[in-house]
Amino acid sequence: MALLAFVHTAHYWTETHPELSCEQDMVLLMKEHPDLAHLLMNDPEAEAEAATATLKHRIKHAIAETQKRGAELAAIVESSNDAIISKNLDGIITSWNAAASRVFGYLAEEIIGKSILTLIPEHLRHEETQIIESIRAGRRIEHFETVRRTKDGRLFDVSLSISPIKDEEGRVIGASKILRDISDRKRIEKSLLQAEKIAATGRMAATIAHEINNPLEAITNLLYLLRPKLTDSEALDHLAAAEDELGRVTHIARQTLGYYREHTAASPASLSEIAQHAVTIYHPRCSSAGIEIRTGFTSARIAIFRRGEIMQVISNLVANAIYAMPTGGLLSVSVEDVEEPTSGMEFTISDNGTGIAPNHLPRVFEAFFTTVRRSVRELDCSLQSNSLKATEAKSALRVN
């Protein structure tokens, strides 16, 4: 310390008084030991302060960079189109981004602090136990498809990717979920599957229709050849009945196949006449079932129809009504002119049968859906809907 004080004093005087100079030995010492010279010629306390200032600057810079990066990550999470949710190992929601609010309908302040089970339907809550077990083991869950529930109770299809959240020591303390609404994709997949089913059934139906048509034509020709040979009036009546029934078999075959389409052009026809003809065909069946038929065909307008397809639509609706009244009832069929919302005709059919269960209403226009085996109304409206589209008619289902 004495040497240091002496050197500092000497340095001061030589700096302030140029006429003075250090002894030669001191100069040689400084040249031969630069590290010692650096120590002797500089104040250790000043260097410590400078080092501390540099360290503080670096720490402040690192904190600023960390905060900037954290803000960027938070902005990415908040602006994501996917719902991003975090929870602890007890299943309590700890974070909630804007997309989660859009998807589920809960604001962040409403849902943070509540159980994740709030978003899971009761019949799927066992999934949460399995998810927590995987997270505790440090395993990620990729693209897990399931169903979740919104604030208003609506269920929708989702795809989940779940990652464990770890603390500084590597212990799992929670989970981060990225949730994507895949309802639209599921609907498209279902529509494609249904379209493929319809196409496959259509190909099969075309083959069956061709095979059935040949023997039906043969029977028709045989009955035609038989008619001149009959002279007995009763036999002729039976022959006429057989021809009528054969016509009905042909019509029922086409109707049952559900894929019969007329290739002839649409032509002017009366909807009232077509409806009346359909009622006439089903009148014997209604009478035997104890069903009263009331009609009101007040419209005399002529429209452009494919007559066979419209006949098929009305026949299916009448048949459905008969299925709905196994112990008898009242069937009402009417056609009347209307001016609102546009000028046209309105066909109405109603009955006092078992009706359509509320859970079946969303499926009434779904191809091949039926509940006849469970003694409930047959719901085969897909064909009717397609036929009405082909004739530019509009359809509506009113449930009372």
Side-chain angles (χ1 to χ4, degrees):
M1 293 300 294
L3 176 62
L4 182 61
F6 169 77
V7 173
H8 273 291
T9 302
H11 179 68
Y12 169 78
W13 283 107
T14 55
E15 287 290 325
T16 57
H17 298 278
E19 68 276 11
L20 299 177
S21 62
C22 292
E23 291 290 337
Q24 189 64 28
D25 291 343
M26 181 63 69
V27 174
L28 292 175
L29 176 67
M30 301 286 277
K31 288 182 178 180
E32 292 178 0
H33 301 282
D35 292 338
L36 177 61
H38 178 74
L39 177 62
L40 294 176
M41 299 304 294
N42 294 280
D43 186 353
E45 294 183 1
E47 288 204 359
E49 290 179 1
T52 301
T54 302
L55 181 59
K56 288 181 179 179
H57 175 74
R58 291 178 179 176
I59 292 173
K60 288 181 179 179
H61 180 72
I63 292 174
E65 287 295 319
T66 301
Q67 290 175 340
K68 179 181 177 181
R69 183 169 178 80
E72 291 175 351
L73 293 175
I76 292 172
V77 170
E78 193 64 18
S79 62
S80 173
N81 288 328
D82 295 333
I84 300 178
I85 306 166
S86 64
K87 63 182 180 182
N88 60 26
L89 294 179
D90 294 324
I92 302 301
I93 297 171
T94 56
S95 71
W96 186 267
N97 73 340
S101 295
R102 291 194 300 270
V103 170
F104 287 98
Y106 290 100
L107 297 176
E109 54 268 25
E110 292 180 292
I111 197 67
I112 291 178
K114 292 186 178 180
S115 172
I116 195 71
L117 297 178
T118 307
L119 311 176
I120 304 177
E122 286 78 2
H123 66 284
L124 294 177
R125 290 186 173 179
H126 63 278
E127 294 178 352
E128 182 62 14
T129 303
Q130 299 171 358
I131 290 172
I132 291 295
E133 289 177 356
S134 296
I135 293 302
R136 287 183 185 276
R139 296 191 297 267
R140 285 174 51 86
I141 299 175
E142 299 282 355
H143 307 301
F144 175 60
E145 295 188 2
T146 183
V147 175
R148 290 296 180 260
R149 182 174 58 194
T150 63
K151 182 179 179 179
D152 59 8
R154 178 178 59 87
L155 301 181
F156 65 105
D157 296 299
V158 301
S159 174
L160 294 176
S161 292
I162 309 172
S163 304
I165 299 175
K166 300 179 180 181
D167 61 12
E168 295 83 355
E169 297 179 0
R171 294 176 299 186
V172 176
I173 59 173
S176 173
K177 291 187 177 185
I178 300 177
L179 179 146
R180 177 168 295 179
D181 185 348
I182 59 172
S183 300
D184 291 340
R185 193 194 81 190
K186 286 291 186 180
R187 280 192 291 269
I188 292 172
E189 290 177 352
K190 185 177 180 180
S191 297
L192 290 174
L193 181 61
Q194 188 74 1
E196 180 59 29
K197 184 193 298 185
I198 292 173
T201 307
R203 291 190 292 269
M204 180 182 68
T207 302
I208 295 174
H210 176 73
E211 296 298 328
I212 290 178
N213 188 57
N214 290 335
L216 287 179
E217 287 184 357
I219 295 173
T220 301
N221 292 333
L222 290 173
L223 292 179
Y224 176 79
L225 294 174
L226 181 61
R227 178 173 288 279
K229 300 181 180 299
L230 297 178
T231 56
D232 183 79
S233 60
E234 184 177 357
L236 288 172
D237 289 340
H238 290 324
L239 181 61
E243 289 174 336
D244 290 341
E245 291 301 310
L246 182 60
R248 286 191 62 203
V249 169
T250 302
H251 175 73
I252 292 172
R254 290 172 174 175
Q255 178 182 349
T256 303
L257 290 173
Y259 286 93
Y260 171 71
R261 293 290 182 271
E262 289 183 304
H263 297 287
T264 57
S267 59
S270 168
L271 182 60
S272 293
E273 290 182 3
I274 296 173
Q276 179 64 65
H277 182 61
V279 170
T280 301
I281 291 175
Y282 283 94
H283 189 273
R285 184 173 170 185
C286 289
S287 297
S288 62
I291 297 173
E292 178 187 354
I293 301 178
R294 293 180 184 175
T295 59
F297 303 121
T298 60
S299 175
R301 289 182 175 178
I302 302 298
I304 305 301
F305 293 121
R306 286 189 175 91
R307 184 183 181 92
E309 290 191 355
I310 296 301
M311 178 67 179
Q312 188 173 349
V313 169
I314 298 174
S315 296
N316 280 341
L317 293 172
V318 172
N320 288 343
I322 293 173
Y323 280 123
M325 298 181 286
T327 59
L330 175 64
L331 172 64
S332 298
V333 184
S334 66
V335 180
E336 58 183 8
D337 295 332
V338 293
E339 299 299 333
E340 296 292 338
T342 57
S343 179
M345 293 170 287
E346 183 175 81
F347 168 80
T348 305
I349 181 169
S350 62
D351 62 74
N352 59 356
T354 56
I356 303 174
N359 59 309
H360 292 152
L361 286 175
R363 304 185 65 184
V364 293
F365 291 109
E366 181 179 323
F368 312 118
F369 178 68
T370 178
T371 58
V372 173
R373 292 182 180 178
R374 288 174 282 180
S375 300
V376 187
R377 171 173 304 194
E378 179 179 9
L379 304 176
D380 184 15
C381 297
S382 176
L383 173 63
Q384 288 89 311
S385 178
N386 291 335
S387 297
L388 292 174
K389 289 176 184 177
T391 58
E392 298 184 357
K394 295 181 179 179
S395 63
L397 180 67
R398 179 183 301 159
V399 180
N400 296 325

